[in-house]
Amino acid sequence: MTLPVNAPLSLDVDQARGRLTELTVIDVRTPGEYASGHLPGALNIPLDRLHRALSVLGDARPELLVVCASGARSANACALLAEHGVPAATLTGGTSAWAERGHELHRPAGSTRAGWSMERQVRFTAGAVVLTGLGLGLLHPAWQLLSAGVAGGLVLSALTGTCGMAALLAGLPHNRPRPADLDATLAALGERVA
């Protein structure tokens, strides 16, 4: 089956599992999330670094399956790939659905620290900033605007399906691939293409 370029295809967990050996799996989560567990054979190319891999992904054979935690980021990645003529499918429900079905998640060799999902990082940061704003608001009421700003950002995030705080957090060192790691991933992907 050849994936269409213009309409992003979604595979459910059973379909993906049955075809896993036929697919090149790209995990677009942060390196910390990837280290906490990923589909067998998945290569980590964070969503914000995907543009760097476009030339290699365009030649990818077998077909691409893009995954993230829930399917939202992988759908965005598929849309970006489609804009560049690269057909790809997304895993419905992401690695969360994969794990819920009882399928194994792999972890990088030597990885002892489990990373937090981006959703957990956002919840922690938003909560900490709101509490800080409320606490400082006892000193001066203007500090409560900090809490209001986070609340507004969360509402905007829900309405637009994007998250500015997640974009900021993705830039933190523990969420960024080291250049050598991304280069190694692209080299491994290039070997699969050849």
Side-chain angles (χ1 to χ4, degrees), residues 3 6 15 20 28 36 45 58 70 72 87 90 105 109 124 127 132 160 180 184 190 194:
L3 299 175
N6 54 359
Q15 292 170 320
L20 200 57
V28 295
S36 68
I45 304 173
S70 66
T90 183
L105 292 176
F124 176 81
T132 300
T160 63

Side-chain angles (χ1 to χ4, degrees), residues 28-61:
V28 295
R29 297 176 299 158
T30 66
E33 292 174 291
Y34 175 80
S36 68
H38 56 270
L39 271 66
L43 297 171
N44 184 222
I45 304 173
L47 181 58
D48 66 340
R49 307 294 293 216
L50 195 60
H51 65 279
R52 187 161 169 226
L54 284 172
S55 62
V56 179
L57 291 172
D59 297 329
R61 301 291 179 265

Side-chain angles (χ1 to χ4, degrees), residues 77-98:
C78 285
L80 174 69
L81 292 169
E83 288 175 13
H84 291 87
V86 179
T90 183
L91 178 63
T92 304
T95 54
S96 298
W98 182 270

Side-chain angles (χ1 to χ4, degrees), residues 79-138:
L80 174 69
L81 292 169
E83 288 175 13
H84 291 87
V86 179
T90 183
L91 178 63
T92 304
T95 54
S96 298
W98 182 270
E100 286 171 7
R101 294 293 303 257
H103 301 309
E104 180 181 13
L105 292 176
H106 289 190
R107 287 164 181 74
S111 174
T112 57
R113 191 188 88 177
W116 282 9
S117 71
M118 186 55 66
E119 178 186 357
R120 186 175 180 192
Q121 291 179 52
V122 167
R123 288 191 321 243
F124 176 81
T125 304
V129 172
V130 166
L131 287 175
T132 300
L134 291 174
L136 291 172
L138 297 173

